[in-house]
């Protein structure tokens, strides 16, 4: 036994020393940045299927025509000047059918090249819109392309897009990334329906000619990492880092361990730790890293099923909102990092009104509203109406989301205090989103988040034509079934009003109706957690769908 | 032997056909489809876009028709494209398969190399300190959840000692040792998790065999303790162990989801999980059928091994 002990005592330190000697030291190359994200992009075509992991990765190597910057201002990325009516590059016109249309003229930057040295020209633009409009190409948001009924090419760099409708977002082409005509056209023309499967972005993703951003992809190992190197043909500011490695680490505990071990330098906010994990990490290791919380456009809310007779009564909906102490939840659970939502529009958005109806926590008022609504008989702490029906509501959400489950429990406890019996029922996300919300199978309340972009018109979520029913094959996302003609008109009007200042009163009315009618209980705007090394400078979280990587050339290492 | 192989081959084909229908139906009947995921990620998608994309990906067809379309194409050699990864199924599957075989093969090899000697020694000295030690180690290995073990190993070897990478896979230009470094922690996790079970099987089988008359006879004839154990007992003790290992052979190709996820190891477990959750029928189906086929092959190999280990066992011929 003594011999064994002696052996162990000697062997373990010897092994550790041997490991240390044999293993190469993980001396970080100061010109390499390693980033951890929680999801690997399933495919890499910029205009087919939208997903956060893909847009984050492609932000390093490709640029859409326009994007919202960190100040939520629309800017040109793959164009010289943003066309507006004021600068004369957007001109009101009539379509051949006589409808109101608009023509916008863009210029591709003169020194814009693909990574193989081929200049980016208007033929690339024509090809991009040809692919985008083709019904079989697999483009997700086809309306962005279909609204362009004609393209006038003036020269190699300048083109005009004629649009068949007149909407305020006439110069927004954030979802359109120019595709390389010289590489992709032969594949597309051979079989448009097979293009989504045969595109070089997925079959030859390291082809330098596919990329025009500051970096290009030089190696991609599915499910593990993507290696980027500087694109020598990049026209803009030379990026600081020679190499960037994006590592996909799904397990967030493993992600933290990777960060602490130096295997990665930072955790992306767009696809990283949840807020509570970030707060816990900051408490433990806040002295070694910069932890940034950026609240944005992930709108956490509870859809109310207005077909439920209990919730059809506005007084009950108001009582529910008065009975929830959202400010305390935000302070206690999220350390105030996740601001309370008063409506579906973020306070950071220019269209946010200063005068929505604010429902501050007021349990007394909630109780009196429920009394008024006929829920006045208390039995074992639960309200009943005079027919003996109890005030019981089902609160559904996605199973496995710890933060949501915690919020649900707090809501259940707070609403119990005003006599509402909340029954929590959670489902796997694909069941919840694929069936329960889409087919409106939630009986009372469904808690989840919407992601939006700045000044996004809530047509799909609030317009009466977007109520999912069997007749329209459950299309649309108006799950609460709100149907108010005035709201429909305002949505139509705000979309077609070109003057930004004139849109503001329309937005105000939309928010007032939203907060007055309460088809949805607004909860919070979720915050992204960025964990960055102290030496990284220049990274600006955006808080919206256009990722921080679109401005990677501003990132640098400063000791 | 030939008849036996033909019968087993026909049975395997039938099982695969039934499995293909069952798997396809189960995936197809799960609520939600990939278009729902696209809607939640893209606020610009309209209802018309969703309808068009469902038709484009064939998701608007009834499940039996989709299965029939797939089967007809598969029988003509076209395994189709992965919807999720926009690549031919085999192009996605083979790199993951290679990674899984490398990781799980190494772990299985290490597990067997450790389990057979310690299980045998523990059985040959029952109730000794070594036997208790092996039992303790075995139960610890079986009981410790692999995700916890993996995290502990990462913290020890990557965070504290800093000698091994915390996860991922080496770049293509990395040397052999650099590549192996990425394999050590996931392989160690899987080995520790499985060696206990294997050692227990070996020990139990060995204890059973060591009680047999022919072992007593061998000892009576003056054979040394080591010769009795390694030469006479081990071969017979291996029969139940081979069954377990044959089943493990199938898992070599279906991956280890938790370990692969924690170490970001791009293997089959993670691929199958992603394809099922992403409603990528083609990929999920082929990956699961591949694992099914390999499990059947493993079972067949086990039957052949029985005959080799014990000449009294014959294949395919029933004695009259």
């Amino acid at each position: 036994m003594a011999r064994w002990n002696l052996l162990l005592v000697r062997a373990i330190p010897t092994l550790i020393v041997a490991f240390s000697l044999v293993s190469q030291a993980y001396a970080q190359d100061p010109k390499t940045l390693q980033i951890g994200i929680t999801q690997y992009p399933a495919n890499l075509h910029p205009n087919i299927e939208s997903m956060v992991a893909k847009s984050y990765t492609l932000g390093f190597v490709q640029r859409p025509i326009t994007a919202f910057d960190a100040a939520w201002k629309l800017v040109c990325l793959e164009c010289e000047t943003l066309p507006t009516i004021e600068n004369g590059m957007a001109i009101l016109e009539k379509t051949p059918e006589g409808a109101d249309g608009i023509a916008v003229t863009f210029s591709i930057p003169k020194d814009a090249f693909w990574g193989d040295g081929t200049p980016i020209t208007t033929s690339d633009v024509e090809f991009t819109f040809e692919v985008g409009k083709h019904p079989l190409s697999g483009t997700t948001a086809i309306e962005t392309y279909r609204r362009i009924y004609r393209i006038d090419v003036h020269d190699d760099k300048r083109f005009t897009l004629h649009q068949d409708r007149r909407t305020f977002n006439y110069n927004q082409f954030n979802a359109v990334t120019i595709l390389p005509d010289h590489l992709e056209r032969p594949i597309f023309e051979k079989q448009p329906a097979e293009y989504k499967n045969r595109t070089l972005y997925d079959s030859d993703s390291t082809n330098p000619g596919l990329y025009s951003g500051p970096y290009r992809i030089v190696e991609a190992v599915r499910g593990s990492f993507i290696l980027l190197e500087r694109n020598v043909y990049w026209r803009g500011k030379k990026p600081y880092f020679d190499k960037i490695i994006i590592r996909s680490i799904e397990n967030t505990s493993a992600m933290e361990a990777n960060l602490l071990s130096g295997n990665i330098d930072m955790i992306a906010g767009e696809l990283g730790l949840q807020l509570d994990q970030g707060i816990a990490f900051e408490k433990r290791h806040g002295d070694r890293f910069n932890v940034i919380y950026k609240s944005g456009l992930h709108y956490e809310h509870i859809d109310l099923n207005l077909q439920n007779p209990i919730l059809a009564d506005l007084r009950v909906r108001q009582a529910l909102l008065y009975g929830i102490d959202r400010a305390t939840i935000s302070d206690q659970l999220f350390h105030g990092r996740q601001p309370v939502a008063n409506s579906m529009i973020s306070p950071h958005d220019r269209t946010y009104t200063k005068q929505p109806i604010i429902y501050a926590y007021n349990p007394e008022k909630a109780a009196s509203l429920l009394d008024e609504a006929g829920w006045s008989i208390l039995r074992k702490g639960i309200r009943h109406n005079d027919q003996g029906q109890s005030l019981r509501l089902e609160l559904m959400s996605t199973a496995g989301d710890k933060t949501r489950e915690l919020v649900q429990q707090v809501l259940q406890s707070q609403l119990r205090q005003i006599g509402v019996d909340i029954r929590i029922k959670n489902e796997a996300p694909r069941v919840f989103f694929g069936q329960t919300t889409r087919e409106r199978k939630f009986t009372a309340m469904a808690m989840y988040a919407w992601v939006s972009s700045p000044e996004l018109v809530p047509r799909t979520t609030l317009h009466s034509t977007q109520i999912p029913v069997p007749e329209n094959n459950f299309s649309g996302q108006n799950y609460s079934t709100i149907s108010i003609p005035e709201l429909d008109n305002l949505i139509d009007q705000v979309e077609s009003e070109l003057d930004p200042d004139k849109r503001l009163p329309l937005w105000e009315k939309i928010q007032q109706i939203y907060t007055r009618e309460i088809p949805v209980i607004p909860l919070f705007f979720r915050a992204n957690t960025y964990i960055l090394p102290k030496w990284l400078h220049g990274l600006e979280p955006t808080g919206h769908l256009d990722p921080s990587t679109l401005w990677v050339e501003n990132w640098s290492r400063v000791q | 032997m030939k008849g036996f192989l033909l019968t087993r081959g026909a049975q395997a084909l039938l099982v695969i056909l039934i499995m293909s229908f069952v798997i396809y139906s189960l995936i197809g009947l799960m609520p939600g489809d990939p278009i729902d995921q696209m809607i939640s990620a893209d606020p610009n998608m309209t209802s018309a876009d969703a309808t068009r994309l469902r038709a484009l990906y064939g998701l608007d067809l009834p499940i039996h028709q989709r299965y029939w379309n797939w089967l007809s194409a598969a029988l003509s050699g076209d395994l189709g494209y992965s919807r999720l990864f926009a690549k031919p199924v085999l192009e996605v599957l083979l790199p993951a398969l290679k990674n899984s075989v490398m990781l799980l093969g190494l772990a299985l090899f290490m597990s067997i190399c450790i389990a057979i000697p310690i299980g045998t020694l523990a059985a040959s000295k029952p109730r000794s300190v070594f036997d208790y030690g092996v039992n303790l180690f075995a139960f610890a290995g079986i009981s410790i959840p692999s995700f916890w073990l993996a995290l502990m190993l990462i913290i020890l070897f990557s965070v504290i000692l800093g000698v091994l990478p915390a996860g991922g896979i080496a770049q293509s230009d990395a040397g052999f040792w650099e590549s192996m470094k990425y394999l050590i922690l996931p392989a160690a996790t899987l080995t520790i998790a499985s060696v206990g079970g294997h050692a227990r099987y070996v020990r139990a089988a060995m204890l059973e065999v060591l009680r047999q008359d022919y072992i007593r006879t061998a000892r009576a004839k003056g054979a040394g303790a080591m010769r009795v154990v390694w030469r006479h007992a081990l071969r017979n003790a291996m029969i139940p162990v081979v069954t377990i290992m044959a089943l493990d052979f199938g898992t070599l190709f279906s991956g280890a989801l938790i370990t692969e996820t924690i170490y970001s190891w791009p293997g089959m477990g993670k691929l199958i999980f992603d394809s099922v959750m992403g409603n990528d029928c083609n990929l999920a189906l082929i990956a699961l059928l591949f694992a099914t086929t390999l499990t059947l092959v493993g079972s067949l190999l086990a039957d052949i091994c029985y005959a080799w280990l014990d000449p009294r066992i014959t294949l395919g011929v029933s004695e009259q």
Side-chain angles (χ1 to χ4, degrees), chain A residues 23-35:
Chain A
S23 156
Q24 288 173 8
Y26 282 97
Q28 286 293 310
D29 174 2
K31 288 281 191 174
T32 298
L33 179 67
Q34 305 211 46
I35 304 169

Side-chain angles (χ1 to χ4, degrees), chain B residues 203-248:
Chain B
R203 180 182 174 277
M206 212 51 198
L207 279 176
E208 187 64 32
V209 170
L210 287 172
R211 290 194 199 107
Q212 301 286 318
D213 288 345
Y214 73 91
I215 296 294
R216 201 173 303 122
T217 307
R219 284 187 180 133
K221 284 166 74 178
M226 293 303 278
R227 185 179 169 84
V228 168
V229 169
W230 296 106
R231 190 79 184 263
H232 297 276
L234 185 62
R235 189 162 167 166
N236 279 324
M238 279 293 100
I239 291 176
V241 178
V242 162
T243 309
I244 302 301
M245 287 172 187
L247 293 174
D248 282 350

Side-chain angles (χ1 to χ4, degrees), chain A residues 55 242 283-284 304 405 409 475 516 524 541:
Chain A
S55 60
D242 292 337
K283 280 183 188 162
R284 293 196 305 270
L304 300 175
E405 285 168 353
Q409 286 166 27
S475 296
R516 188 186 70 215
F524 314 99

Side-chain angles (χ1 to χ4, degrees), chain A residues 239-373:
Chain A
Y240 176 85
F241 296 101
D242 292 337
K243 282 184 187 177
I244 290 181
I245 302 170
I246 304 165
R247 293 195 183 278
S248 152
I249 305 162
E250 285 202 17
N251 183 283
T252 47
S253 302
M255 177 87 91
E256 281 187 36
N258 272 267
L259 184 66
L260 295 173
S261 72
N263 203 34
I264 55 174
D265 298 310
M266 59 171 271
I267 299 176
E270 286 85 346
L271 268 171
L273 302 187
Q274 289 207 357
L275 183 69
D276 54 336
Q277 293 169 322
I279 290 168
F281 183 88
E282 188 180 15
K283 280 183 188 162
R284 293 196 305 270
H285 308 289
D287 53 330
R288 289 174 56 192
F289 298 91
N290 285 334
V291 183
I292 299 171
Y293 304 95
K294 178 76 179 179
S295 74
L297 286 165
H298 277 87
Y299 170 47
E300 192 76 24
H301 64 275
I302 300 172
D303 275 1
L304 300 175
N305 185 346
L306 303 186
Q307 305 300 311
N308 180 320
I310 298 174
L311 293 173
D313 188 330
L314 176 63
R315 290 166 299 186
V316 175
R317 305 203 295 271
Q318 288 173 328
L320 291 177
L321 204 39
Y322 278 123
I324 299 172
D325 189 356
R326 293 171 296 168
T328 301
I329 295 175
S330 174
D331 285 342
Q332 296 296 318
L333 298 187
F334 309 123
H335 292 234
R337 308 280 189 196
Q338 211 151 255
V340 170
N342 291 316
S343 77
M344 74 293 190
I345 295 178
S346 159
H348 298 307
D349 198 310
R350 63 173 285 276
T351 61
Y352 177 74
T353 177
K354 299 280 184 294
Q355 282 94 29
I357 304 168
I358 305 281
Y359 293 85
Y361 180 53
N362 190 340
E364 292 78 23
K365 192 162 184 178
S368 82
L369 280 163
L370 290 174
D371 286 340
E372 264 180 54

